[in-house]
Amino acid sequence: MLACELALNGIQPLVLERRTGPSTEQRANGLVGQIVPMLHRRGLYERLTGRPGGPEPTPGHVFGAFPLHLAGIGDNPMRILLAPQQKIEAMLGERAAELGVEVRGGHELTGLDQKEDRVVVAVTGPDGPYQVEARYVVGADGGRSLTRKLTGFAFPGVTDDDSVSRTAVVDVPAELRDPQTGGLLIPGYGPVPPFQHHRTERGMVAFAPFPDGRNLISVATTARPAGDAPVTLAEVLETLHYVLGVEVPLLPPTGPEPHTLRRLASGNTRIADRYRKDRVILLGDAAHVHSAIGGPGLNLGLQDAINLGWKLAAEVRGWAPDGLLDTYESERRPVAERVVMHTQAQSVLAGPGPAVTALRALFAELLEEEVVVRRLAALLAGTDFRYAGMGGFAPDLGSLTHSGRPLLVDTTGTLTDVVAPWRDRVDLVTAPLPEGTAMLVRPDNYVAWSSSSPSPGTAELVVALRRWFGGPQLSI
């Protein structure tokens, strides 16, 4: 994602990828929150869905193993796109290739040395070791980031060693399928709804019947510690039996591989002490790790990339105003802190034990209030937080945002001369606006300035242009 954003802004990055091909491990199963309309703004949403049109509000989601009924709330912010991570990665890889990005598969970072004006990167590839010199290095290499370790970033936080989750792809006998919901209907127990966290006093179960025919069952508990032997389907089903109190005769998968089968012991909640040290920058899980409950990970990480891309490109191209690159951390760290907060809170609410059951009884009463549901929906979607001094997410401007460039939308025809000294960096366009008459939109689709006047004042617009896009008439 970052490589695509850099390429849209005139920078040709080099991507070093340790893997030699697509991962067969089933990880994220879709996208949740503000990243869904953001992908639509880049023209990538339809490539994932295979159908025309943008995302619509989803009628429901989950919070702490509670269903959130969103169909009736006003201005529902929640968008969801179900797509396996392999498909998302493949789509982004294709887009990067279209933009001319070089991706070196089978090439692994082994060391780096920061100089005053560059970073020297040691790499091991199929033909042996070599070096690359770069203006900047971005570590998007996961929670165990070697980039972070080599550069000396601290990674404070906590590790939860209690809970163990087990996940498997299974086949579901027809008699266990709930014809109304598509979830499970288990004799002696009752329904387990699809695409929700289902909590008991012994643990938590999630069942996901995906449109491609895969059925994923995940079960977490503190009462079944991880062993040293490889996880088996029998172990997953035994844990499911313990959590639900009845045997569930799920079957080994028969569909196309990969057939997910994994055990995850412990979980980390950590945020790097800094997102940037001089010319080395952290992105995504390299900068923050947290529980996957509620599915916020790709929303957070991909929006990190979209926030960073245009700012890093501006720095490399020479027109970035002072401090622009520092706003990557000042804007994105608070968002990560909120994700850490609500995933920790959800984990507590979904935990086992009678004390949690009492807490859930109280929380269920709060969920009867629409204002609470609306607040939680905004929290999960990432729309409850605004960057300092900024407006919110811009309205859908159609294909105008596909370019990834800053936009001044002017319906008054009075701002042409004002923006002229920035036309090398900012596109002047005319498009219908649901509110107001003019709007300055950053490449990450956030509103830097707006006006509702038929004759907009220009002083604040010029301040915003300088603040985000540098001085006028610069030679790039």
Side-chain angles (χ1 to χ4, degrees):
M1 189 76 239
L2 177 64
C4 291
E5 291 295 296
L6 288 168
L8 285 173
N9 284 275
I11 302 298
Q12 286 297 318
L14 168 65
V15 178
L16 301 176
E17 170 57 65
R18 181 172 58 187
R19 296 183 316 200
T20 56
S23 172
T24 59
E25 182 181 4
Q26 179 62 41
R27 297 181 65 85
N29 296 303
L31 300 168
V32 175
Q34 199 79 327
I35 188 59
V36 179
M38 187 64 232
L39 287 182
H40 179 55
R41 303 296 198 269
R42 287 292 185 266
L44 302 176
Y45 177 82
E46 292 185 8
R47 296 175 66 150
L48 280 173
T49 63
R51 60 179 184 272
E56 297 293 334
T58 184
H61 195 46
V62 291
F63 184 90
F66 282 97
L68 287 183
H69 303 292
L70 305 176
I73 71 169
D75 195 23
N76 178 5
M78 182 59 70
R79 306 292 188 273
I80 294 178
L81 170 60
L82 290 178
Q85 184 165 322
Q86 293 98 326
K87 184 177 181 180
I88 298 169
E89 290 181 4
M91 181 275 292
L92 291 174
E94 291 170 0
R95 179 56 175 154
E98 292 169 3
L99 294 170
V101 174
E102 180 183 0
V103 179
R104 296 182 186 175
H107 293 247
E108 184 173 2
L109 170 76
T110 57
L112 58 82
D113 180 24
Q114 288 212 63
K115 308 294 185 182
E116 183 177 351
D117 60 345
R118 67 194 188 283
V119 185
V120 181
V121 180
V123 184
T124 296
D127 298 325
Y130 64 97
Q131 290 187 337
V132 173
E133 292 191 358
R135 293 277 301 277
Y136 288 88
V137 168
V138 179
D141 47 349
R144 296 182 176 87
S145 169
L146 182 60
T147 307
R148 185 184 66 235
K149 295 173 183 176
L150 290 173
T151 312
F153 291 90
F155 204 38
V158 296
T159 298
D160 175 14
D161 292 323
D162 293 333
S163 182
V164 179
S165 68
R166 297 167 172 88
T167 302
V169 170
V170 295
D171 277 1
V172 179
E175 61 270 19
L176 296 185
R177 185 81 70 175
D178 187 335
Q180 300 299 319
T181 68
L184 298 176
L185 197 56
I186 301 170
Y189 181 81
V192 173
F195 301 110
Q196 294 185 20
H197 294 109
H198 183 75
R199 183 254 180 197
T200 77
E201 287 205 3
R202 292 184 172 187
M204 188 168 62
V205 175
F207 174 66
F210 291 106
D212 62 6
R214 291 176 304 120
N215 299 287
L216 198 70
I217 190 78
S218 182
V219 55
T221 182
T222 60
R224 292 292 189 270
D228 295 329
V231 64
T232 63
L233 180 58
E235 178 185 332
V236 177
L237 296 181
E238 188 276 332
T239 309
L240 181 63
H241 184 179
Y242 171 80
V243 169
L244 296 181
V246 299
E247 185 174 355
V248 186
L250 300 174
L251 303 173
T254 56
E257 296 186 356
H259 294 154
T260 299
L261 186 61
R262 67 171 179 262
R263 181 201 303 121
L264 296 177
S266 76
N268 284 296
T269 300
R270 301 179 181 276
I271 301 179
D273 62 334
R274 300 163 62 183
Y275 280 19
R276 174 188 170 206
K277 281 192 173 184
D278 300 322
R279 294 180 175 273
V280 178
I281 304 169
L282 300 180
L283 175 68
D285 287 356
H288 40 67
V289 294
H290 50 81
S291 168
I293 191 168
L298 286 179
N299 187 34
L300 181 60
L302 290 178
Q303 287 204 89
D304 284 351
I306 293 167
N307 184 285
L308 175 61
W310 68 276
K311 297 173 182 178
L312 183 56
E315 191 72 28
V316 172
R317 296 184 66 192
W319 59 256
D322 290 344
L324 178 66
L325 197 52
D326 293 331
T327 66
Y328 165 59
E329 178 173 351
S330 65
E331 291 185 341
R332 295 306 297 167
R333 171 181 281 278
V335 182
E337 290 170 345
R338 290 192 66 73
V339 169
V340 163
M341 175 273 287
H342 77 66
T343 54
Q344 287 182 311
Q346 289 189 75
S347 296
V348 171
L349 277 170
V356 175
T357 300
L359 176 63
R360 290 177 63 82
L362 173 60
F363 201 81
E365 294 181 10
L366 297 176
L367 287 178
E368 294 176 3
E369 302 291 335
E370 182 179 328
V371 65
V372 175
V373 176
R374 186 183 296 113
R375 180 73 175 267
L376 292 176
L379 176 67
L380 294 172
T383 60
D384 66 326
F385 178 86
R386 289 195 176 187
Y387 302 144
M390 295 290 296
F393 206 56
D396 187 357
L397 298 172
S399 62
L400 293 174
T401 53
H402 291 188
S403 68
R405 284 174 57 85
L407 301 175
L408 177 60
V409 186
D410 177 21
T411 65
T412 70
T414 65
L415 300 176
T416 302
D417 291 342
V418 179
V419 76
W422 283 271
R423 289 299 301 276
D424 56 343
R425 284 150 280 162
V426 180
D427 291 341
L428 177 65
V429 298
T430 300
L433 293 173
E435 295 181 5
T437 59
M439 183 177 294
L440 181 63
V441 182
R442 300 192 323 186
D444 57 355
N445 222 65
Y446 284 86
V447 177
W449 168 88
S450 63
S451 174
S452 58
S453 170
S455 300
T458 61
E460 290 185 356
L461 172 58
V462 170
V463 169
L465 286 165
R466 287 180 175 274
R467 170 70 182 90
W468 296 110
F469 310 119
Q473 296 179 336
L474 290 181
S475 175
I476 300 176

